[in-house]
Amino acid sequence: RQILENINFEINKGEIFGMLGPNGVGKSTIFNLITGLVSPEKGSIFIGGEKVNDYPIFVRTTRFKIGYVPQYGGYFYDLTLFENLNAVGEILINNARDRIEKINYLTSKFDLESIRDIKAKFLSGGQKKKLVIALSLLSDPKILLLDECFAALDVMTIKMLQEIIVKLQQESRITICICDHQARDLLACVDGAMILSNGKIVAQDTPSNLV
């Protein structure tokens, strides 16, 4: 079945951009199109002004520095928090000293030092989400995609994640794109957003105007 129909939008550099819509409307499909997990039947995808339709996933992630936080999983269940970061870090950071420095920086930044030796499967929902965001930041991405990052989390954890997202943009000037179906949580931390319905964009504006 056709999931998306003639959609067209831009995300500005350094912006926190939101995609809103009910489950099954095509939000995750847009992320899969951006990363190259699926290919569009027609139309073009541009990153930094360059058409990327024919680039495989690894070229898109390394050349254009894309980080991706999936809705579910994204970590090794039977490894500790530190082992997770080290396993991915070994692929991305060749120098062992630089790798450990980066891991220590991220565990400190996300307040994860006290649980670094606990297996990921025993972490809380919020701790798992912070781990996956930390994993996505090991490569110093310029674009960060967050898929349903507020789903199944309590109010305090959502507030903490919103603060992390805003700080990432302010400190690193990362371009961040979040998709979710909870309007309140998403609109509280984005610069602009679009609303999807039946495979189309039905509205796009600032959070206050959309409300």
Side-chain angles (χ1 to χ4, degrees):
R1 68 186 178 90
Q2 186 171 3
I3 297 171
L4 299 166
E5 184 182 344
N6 295 327
I7 67 161
N8 184 37
F9 67 97
E10 292 182 8
I11 303 173
N12 297 317
K13 187 177 180 179
E15 177 182 27
I16 304 178
F17 185 81
M19 295 191 296
L20 268 171
N23 288 329
V25 80
K27 302 185 300 295
S28 296
T29 299
I30 292 174
F31 278 178
N32 291 339
L33 287 164
I34 293 170
T35 56
L37 279 166
V38 296
S39 299
E41 291 182 358
K42 59 182 178 180
S44 301
I45 300 156
F46 291 87
I47 303 175
E50 190 170 342
K51 186 176 176 179
V52 300
N53 286 45
D54 297 328
Y55 292 167
I57 294 172
F58 75 92
V59 172
R60 297 193 201 190
T61 53
T62 53
R63 183 166 171 180
F64 300 100
K65 299 187 78 68
I66 299 174
Y68 179 49
V69 178
Q71 181 179 357
Y72 303 110
Y75 56 89
F76 300 104
Y77 285 68
D78 259 342
L79 297 185
T80 66
L81 184 140
F82 173 79
E83 288 167 344
N84 264 278
L85 288 163
N86 196 51
V88 175
E90 284 178 342
I91 300 168
L92 299 168
I93 306 167
N94 292 326
N95 185 288
R97 183 182 294 177
D98 291 345
R99 183 165 64 247
I100 295 301
E101 275 184 18
K102 185 73 174 180
I103 290 170
N104 289 340
Y105 166 74
L106 288 169
T107 51
S108 173
K109 184 183 183 70
F110 293 117
D111 196 23
L112 297 169
E113 295 105 328
S114 62
I115 55 170
R116 60 186 282 148
D117 296 321
I118 295 175
K119 286 192 175 184
K121 63 184 177 183
F122 297 125
L123 301 177
S124 70
Q127 289 167 340
K128 287 173 181 173
K129 195 63 72 175
K130 285 202 284 186
L131 167 60
V132 181
I133 293 174
L135 287 167
S136 73
L137 294 175
L138 279 167
S139 60
D140 293 320
K142 292 181 180 177
I143 301 167
L144 185 60
L145 308 175
L146 299 163
D147 192 355
E148 301 266 0
C149 61
F150 303 126
L153 297 176
D154 62 86
V155 175
M156 292 303 294
T157 305
I158 289 170
K159 190 175 186 335
M160 172 201 69
L161 274 180
Q162 289 169 335
E163 290 171 358
I164 286 171
I165 290 164
V166 172
K167 278 184 181 176
L168 278 174
Q169 181 213 27
Q170 290 173 343
E171 292 172 5
S172 309
R173 298 305 296 164
I174 299 176
T175 303
I176 300 172
C177 185
I178 312 168
C179 80
D180 211 282
H181 58 272
Q182 299 286 358
R184 182 188 62 187
D185 298 332
L186 184 138
L187 292 177
C189 64
V190 299
D191 299 310
M194 67 181 183
I195 299 171
L196 291 155
S197 179
N198 296 320
K200 296 179 180 179
I201 299 168
V202 294
Q204 184 173 344
D205 214 320
T206 61
S208 56
N209 286 346
L210 284 172
V211 169

